[in-house]
Amino acid sequence: MSNLSQASSGRIMGYGRSFDVLLTAIAPTVWGSTYIVTTQLLPQGYPITVAMLRALPAGLLLMMLVRQLPAGHWWWRVVVLGALNIAFFLTMLFIAAYRLPGGVAATIGAIQPLIVIFLTRAVLGTPVRLAAIAAALAGLAGVALLLIAPRSVVLDPIGIVAGLAGAVSLALGTVMSRRWQPPVSTLTFTAWQLTAGGVLLIPVALWLEPPLPALGLQNVAGFAYLTLIGAALTYMLWFRGIARLGPAAVASLSFLSPLTAVVLGWGLLGQSLTLLQLFGMAVVVGSVWLSQMVQAGPART
């Protein structure tokens, strides 16, 4: 009877984890649309302002719902996390999005899962699993295949550096978000970070960028999408996943971002999609599946 009960409990936990994975996967999938929204719907040349307008309205909206401020040492922790996960990451993301094709920008960011694996070891003491490294490398290879196209791709050096810097920032922020788990709901934790990140960007945007031009209807639609869906909803799912699944499992889902970017470029912009790229998609999906299986298994030191 006890064996049957344990088996039933294991199945329930498995279903629960699968649900958590699917829910968390929404975030990087939506983030993959950031590149096409940025280039097609937003004013060009305002990466810091766009990052601020993506984060701050979403944070303030959530703050109105939770009506709770940080206390004690959580003030400076929230500022650090807001800088890593929101302010710096989003700024680098939009610089890369403006300067690189969407698939390229998302691909550079795909190094994040590999960084997280080693950061979790250094910061959290989590054992490094060879299978997890293999899954991350396979994901990188699959993502690289997504870039192979009949035409040449111009790589902007500033865009590449920004993409790499953003990946490092989000990787560190993901790990620290797991280490610093506040005694509040995920909604509140998300509200704090989005608001802090947005506030940090206000003086930088005012100093370094000119005022936005008059916004058209498509600009407003783009900002609304990035704020409500691309920030408020997705960051809440992301931080929820970090708390429930762990940084490494969540980071591996970021491979879905370049996959989404390439698919949207093909479907909406008429970009080419070759058999080799389709194979790359299969490799990405396989690497995500392998990574989730590895993270769900017992740890080995």
Side-chain angles (χ1 to χ4, degrees):
M1 186 66 177
S2 61
N3 290 338
L4 180 59
S5 176
Q6 290 177 359
S8 299
S9 176
R11 285 195 296 270
I12 293 173
M13 291 179 63
Y15 294 144
R17 183 179 177 84
S18 297
F19 176 76
D20 290 337
V21 169
L22 291 174
L23 203 59
T24 308
I26 294 174
T29 301
V30 170
W31 290 342
S33 67
T34 297
Y35 309 97
I36 193 170
V37 171
T38 300
T39 56
Q40 301 300 311
L41 299 180
L42 300 185
Q44 299 300 297
Y46 298 86
I48 304 173
T49 302
V50 169
M52 184 267 291
L53 291 177
R54 179 177 183 175
L56 187 57
L60 293 176
L61 177 62
L62 295 183
M63 286 296 291
M64 291 174 60
L65 295 176
V66 302
R67 297 179 179 273
Q68 183 177 357
L69 293 174
H73 61 262
W74 282 106
W75 279 104
W76 69 265
R77 287 185 177 183
V78 166
V79 170
V80 172
L81 293 176
L84 291 172
N85 287 318
I86 310 298
F88 188 78
F89 166 65
L90 288 183
T91 298
M92 295 300 103
L93 175 72
F94 283 113
I95 290 175
Y98 278 126
R99 290 178 170 271
L100 298 170
V104 177
T107 297
I108 294 172
I111 195 174
Q112 181 212 342
L114 200 58
I115 299 173
V116 167
I117 289 175
F118 294 102
L119 281 178
T120 53
R121 174 62 179 177
V123 177
L124 304 178
T126 304
V128 175
R129 308 181 186 189
L130 294 179
I133 296 176
L137 291 175
L140 278 174
V143 166
L145 290 175
L146 296 178
L147 287 181
I148 298 178
R151 58 184 180 83
S152 61
V153 176
V154 178
L155 300 180
D156 179 87
I158 296 177
I160 294 173
V161 172
L164 291 173
V168 173
S169 181
L170 185 60
L172 183 56
T174 297
V175 174
M176 296 308 297
S177 294
R178 177 58 180 256
R179 180 170 182 176
W180 293 338
Q181 283 291 306
V184 296
S185 67
T186 302
L187 183 64
T188 302
F189 197 30
T190 305
W192 289 353
Q193 292 195 54
L194 284 170
T195 304
V199 169
L200 289 173
L201 286 173
I202 292 176
V204 183
L206 292 175
W207 181 35
L208 294 179
E209 293 182 350
L212 282 173
L215 299 180
L217 185 60
Q218 72 172 18
N219 301 142
V220 174
F223 278 120
Y225 171 79
L226 290 180
T227 296
L228 299 176
I229 307 299
L233 174 63
T234 53
Y235 268 106
M236 185 170 61
L237 296 177
W238 185 256
F239 294 137
R240 177 186 181 276
I242 293 171
R244 290 173 175 263
L245 301 171
V250 169
S252 71
L253 297 173
S254 63
F255 286 128
L256 299 175
S257 223
L259 191 151
T260 301
V262 170
V263 170
L264 289 176
W266 167 75
L268 299 180
L269 302 180
Q271 296 175 355
S272 61
L273 194 60
T274 65
L275 288 177
L276 199 56
Q277 288 174 302
L278 291 173
F279 176 69
M281 290 183 182
V283 173
V284 168
V285 173
S287 73
V288 171
W289 175 83
L290 175 59
S291 179
Q292 295 306 316
M293 293 300 101
V294 171
Q295 299 302 328
R300 295 183 176 86
T301 58

